[in-house]
Amino acid sequence: MELIQQYSTIFHIILVILAVLTICCLIRAVKGPSIADRLVAVNMMGTIVMSVIAVLALLTDEDYLVDLPDLCDEQLSRRGGAHKGIYGSIY
């Protein structure tokens, strides 16, 4: 039981850190000197949101929360917006 409490504390600390990072990215997205800075900040905020979902899934022991990023990627691939990197399409 004590180990679960320690993990819960760690997860809450991680969520606070991610919240602070999201606020920093929001400030950069509004204030950014160039459009590239704003785009990177908004992209990073999306990544942080996915991280928050993953931490919440671990904190609440809900498996379906982990499937949400996969579901979003699947919807993108159905619409023709699959991720294409240097090695081609993931799908």
Side-chain angles (χ1 to χ4, degrees):
M1 187 69 175
E2 183 178 322
L3 185 63
I4 294 172
Q5 182 65 29
Q6 289 174 352
Y7 280 137
S8 177
T9 304
I10 290 171
F11 289 150
H12 283 94
I13 291 170
I14 290 171
L15 287 174
V16 169
I17 291 170
L18 289 173
V20 169
L21 290 174
T22 304
I23 292 171
C24 291
C25 287
L26 183 64
I27 291 170
R28 176 53 61 195
V30 171
K31 190 178 174 184
S34 70
I35 300 236
D37 290 332
R38 291 183 174 125
L39 287 174
V40 169
V42 170
N43 190 11
M44 185 179 278
M45 284 178 12
T47 304
I48 290 172
V49 166
M50 299 302 254
S51 300
V52 167
I53 291 172
V55 171
L56 285 175
L58 290 171
L59 186 63
T60 59
D61 289 332
E62 298 292 339
D63 294 337
Y64 69 90
L65 290 175
V66 179
D67 293 333
L68 288 177
D70 292 336
L71 182 65
C72 292
D73 285 342
E74 183 179 324
Q75 292 296 326
L76 277 175
S77 67
R78 285 185 184 168
R79 295 180 183 161
H83 300 289
K84 296 187 187 217
I86 57 174
Y87 301 111
S89 178
I90 293 175
Y91 301 105

